[in-house]
Amino acid sequence: MIDAYVGLGANLGDRMESLRAAVEQLAREPGFLLRGTSPVYETDPVGPPQPRYLNAVARIGTLLSPRATLRRLLEIEELLGRVRRERWGARELDLDLLLYGDRIVADGALRVPHPRLHERAFALVPLAELAPDAYHPQMARTAEELLSDLPEDARRGVRLVGNLRRGLPEPEPEGGPSGSPPPPPDPFPRVC
């Protein structure tokens, strides 16, 4: 199984819920095995004036080809309401195939590793947090090394927000919601 890294971004609507819904779809998608997610970061937009983004990275295992993987990512975007308006414009959800194992792919519009990954703090910060040793085969550098190569001012625009995955519900206090202790066990239980 090949480890692939998917960049997630959203800057319209409920941004956190869009990222969570995307991760839930990745986890349910046939051919994908969700292996981890980075924390979520708020980042400055690239391109025309628009709202700030929330960004994260997911690691998936897959046996699908890079093209089939990208096709599934585009289908998830569409399923979750992505509308393509303008290049680098605001969006409800953006899923980018950042890395696909150590493969280099140049096939039509498909480029892996993502052509601007090494320049973008909004992708490198969460990638390096999730998988510091993820290897960029064209640059012959790890995610952590690529991040350290970025100017400090580029990294300063990436601020930690929190975790992407929903936490488990807290257990109820002992004795149930009222907080009273449970009744003592019956010393003479009925046996039928």
Side-chain angles (χ1 to χ4, degrees):
M1 191 163 277
I2 294 172
D3 273 345
Y5 293 90
V6 179
L8 300 95
N11 73 339
L12 294 178
D14 186 336
R15 302 172 301 165
M16 184 67 84
E17 188 52 38
S18 293
L19 297 185
R20 285 181 176 143
V23 168
E24 288 169 7
Q25 276 302 128
L26 288 171
R28 285 194 294 259
E29 189 67 29
F32 291 168
L33 175 63
L34 182 64
R35 292 191 164 167
T37 58
S38 74
V40 177
Y41 295 85
E42 188 172 51
T43 63
D44 296 327
V46 173
Q50 57 189 297
R52 294 175 55 77
Y53 276 84
L54 289 186
N55 290 99
V57 169
R59 178 174 50 204
I60 59 172
T62 186
L63 294 175
L64 299 176
S65 70
R67 179 154 304 282
T69 299
L70 178 62
R71 186 170 39 254
R72 294 270 175 93
L73 297 178
L74 295 174
E75 289 167 0
I76 291 170
E77 284 181 348
E78 186 176 331
L79 175 72
L80 296 177
R82 165 89 186 255
V83 177
R84 295 184 184 279
R85 295 173 182 89
E86 65 180 312
R87 182 181 168 113
W88 295 339
R91 57 201 70 178
E92 296 79 7
L93 180 64
D94 187 32
L95 300 177
D96 288 327
L97 183 55
L98 302 176
L99 296 170
Y100 183 90
D102 61 358
R103 300 262 308 266
I104 297 172
V105 181
D107 181 15
L110 176 61
R111 298 282 184 264
V112 180
H114 190 283
R116 289 171 297 284
L117 172 61
H118 63 285
E119 302 168 349
R120 297 206 164 150
F122 68 81
L124 282 174
V125 169
L127 177 60
E129 178 73 22
L130 176 62
D133 294 328
Y135 186 71
H136 190 301
Q138 285 177 312
M139 305 300 289
R141 315 259 306 165
T142 66
E144 190 171 55
E145 291 168 336
L146 291 171
L147 179 59
S148 70
D149 290 346
L150 285 181
E152 181 60 37
D153 63 321
R155 288 181 273 157
R156 211 179 352 253
V158 180
R159 289 173 288 290
L160 180 65
V161 171
N163 290 325
L164 182 58
R165 311 277 309 267
R166 288 186 177 93
L168 297 174
E170 289 295 318
E172 290 185 3
E174 193 172 316
S178 67
S180 59
D186 185 350
F188 304 104
R190 290 187 189 146
V191 178
C192 297

